[in-house]
Amino acid sequence: MPKSFIQTFLNNYIIASTIAIIALLLGISIGSQSIPFSSIWAIFAHHLFHTQTDVSATVSQIIVSIRLPRVVLAFLIGAALALAGVAFQGLLKNVLADPYTIGVSSGAAVGAVIVFFFHLHLPLLGRFTLPIVSIIFALITLLFVLLFARLAERNMAMETIVLIGIMMNAFFGSLISLMVALSGEELRQVIGWLMGSVAMRGWSYVSLFFPFFVIGSIGLFVHTRELNAFSFGEQAAASIGVHVLQRKLFILLSASLLTGAAVAVSGTIGFVGLVIPHMTRLICGANHKRLLPLSFLYGGTFLVLADLVARTIVAPRELPIGVITSFIGAPLFAILLFKSLKRKT
């Protein structure tokens, strides 16, 4: 393996990891009460190595119980949505695909709102009722979109899938609006949640999301070879021994698992799965062995910084984090769609 390749490979990970650490520190440090990095390190050292610290109990509480779980959750959700976006783009062979644009996020949101609306609490699932119902709706939505696209157009052009996704977003939006209109004040507060937020999320939300994040991430990381093969088409994948149908189902299930669980704990956050894989692909190329881990790092970093902007740009009020990601992602989506249509003419 050439030395220059190894150096480039290492540099990509070092840069991405450094940026991620800086973003996490900024997310913990900046807020209504500014906390210096030295205090953050002191608290970490105190909890990890039981060293003495002169940091006040109030500052320690802010770091450990409020800001740290918030930035950790934002990082995990950003990483999950970015990984799901890479999977959908690799499987569908188009950079326009992401959980938001093809309607999967909206389907997961409907599942979550149904849990809230009917106060579902399934005995065997307990507190995992919310993410599991969201995941089921995300997967059903994805299968419906792909089936509808196949019936409408044999070659399943990405533009057709996007249009069906837009239709599904509109339909699910109307269902959510109907349930909100029929509900009391409690569910109306969910609207703010549906716009995307990691505010007031403690360690309980991190522990709720983390098992699904681990399973979904592993499900994608073990399929890097298959994703690379699918980028050349299903026939090419089958010719090198890939069990096409089985591997596709595993990848779709993993991506839906990540999307549904992310929506369950944070609401609908759009375009992360579009922006991050596209930008990462420009940096490291289309090989999923590099694309997946770097998208993981950059996706988490992006959402931590987006959350930081959301809670500081109009302080003391907070904007929904979905507003920030859509503000960045919608123009990029328009550019990519325009380029895709122009190549066909």
Side-chain angles (χ1 to χ4, degrees):
M1 188 176 292
K3 185 177 180 181
S4 59
F5 174 83
I6 296 174
Q7 190 64 42
T8 302
F9 180 83
L10 290 175
N11 285 342
N12 281 335
Y13 283 95
I14 291 170
I15 292 169
S17 299
T18 302
I19 294 172
I21 291 170
I22 293 171
L24 288 167
L25 289 173
L26 289 173
I28 298 170
S29 174
I30 299 174
S32 56
Q33 179 176 340
S34 182
I35 301 173
F37 286 175
S38 59
S39 296
I40 298 172
W41 287 119
I43 292 298
F44 284 176
H46 174 69
H47 283 275
L48 292 175
F49 307 111
H50 305 290
T51 59
Q52 295 296 320
T53 178
D54 58 356
V55 178
S56 69
T58 301
V59 172
S60 177
Q61 185 74 5
I62 291 172
I63 293 173
V64 175
S65 300
I66 299 175
R67 294 194 188 168
L68 184 57
R70 179 169 183 158
V71 298
V72 168
L73 186 62
F75 187 90
L76 293 177
I77 289 169
L81 294 175
L83 290 176
V86 171
F88 288 136
Q89 290 174 12
L91 207 57
L92 298 173
K93 301 186 292 296
N94 198 297
V95 297
L96 292 174
D98 95 313
Y100 187 78
T101 58
I102 63 178
V104 178
S105 290
S106 296
V110 168
V113 173
I114 286 174
V115 171
F116 289 125
F117 186 77
F118 293 105
H119 303 285
L120 290 181
H121 190 78
L122 302 179
L124 297 178
L125 300 179
R127 71 191 190 103
F128 290 104
T129 299
L130 176 61
I132 287 176
V133 172
S134 292
I135 290 164
I136 292 170
F137 271 78
L139 184 60
I140 291 173
T141 302
L142 176 63
L143 294 177
F144 179 82
V145 168
L146 295 179
L147 177 62
F148 202 160
R150 186 65 178 264
L151 292 174
E153 193 173 14
R154 187 72 179 171
N155 64 353
M156 294 175 66
M158 191 58 216
E159 290 76 15
T160 303
I161 293 175
V162 169
L163 287 173
I164 295 171
I166 292 171
M167 177 192 72
M168 296 302 293
N169 280 326
F171 175 69
F172 287 144
S174 65
L175 280 181
I176 291 170
S177 297
L178 175 63
M179 283 186 280
V180 170
L182 294 175
S183 70
E185 291 297 326
E186 182 181 352
L187 194 59
R188 288 195 176 92
Q189 296 174 359
V190 176
I191 286 296
W193 170 83
L194 284 170
M195 295 174 70
S197 176
V198 289
M200 305 304 292
R201 308 292 202 270
W203 288 113
S204 61
Y205 280 85
V206 177
S207 64
L208 183 66
F209 177 63
F210 192 70
F212 301 100
F213 174 78
V214 171
I215 295 170
S217 298
I218 292 174
L220 295 183
F221 277 112
V222 299
H223 285 95
T224 53
R225 172 178 170 269
E226 287 79 3
L227 284 168
N228 282 334
F230 281 131
S231 64
F232 294 101
E234 292 184 7
Q235 288 185 342
S239 68
I240 62 171
V242 175
H243 192 302
V244 173
L245 180 60
Q246 186 184 75
R247 295 303 106 186
K248 281 176 69 176
L249 287 175
F250 270 117
I251 293 169
L252 289 175
L253 181 60
S254 298
S256 298
L257 191 72
L258 290 170
T259 303
V263 170
V265 298
S266 68
T268 307
I269 300 175
F271 296 108
V272 178
L274 175 74
V275 173
I276 299 305
H278 178 69
M279 302 306 295
T280 307
R281 201 175 283 108
L282 295 177
I283 295 170
C284 72
N287 188 337
H288 287 84
K289 290 183 178 180
R290 295 190 298 273
L291 184 59
L292 276 170
L294 287 174
S295 293
F296 172 96
L297 290 170
Y298 285 127
T301 300
F302 174 72
L303 205 63
V304 169
L305 294 176
D307 178 55
L308 181 60
V309 172
R311 60 187 166 91
T312 57
I313 194 169
V314 290
R317 297 182 62 186
E318 287 192 18
L319 292 175
I321 194 171
V323 172
I324 305 299
T325 59
S326 296
F327 185 78
I328 297 169
L332 178 61
F333 174 72
I335 293 169
L336 292 174
L337 181 60
F338 177 76
K339 288 183 177 180
S340 177
L341 292 172
K342 195 171 182 180
R343 280 197 299 267
K344 291 180 178 293
T345 59

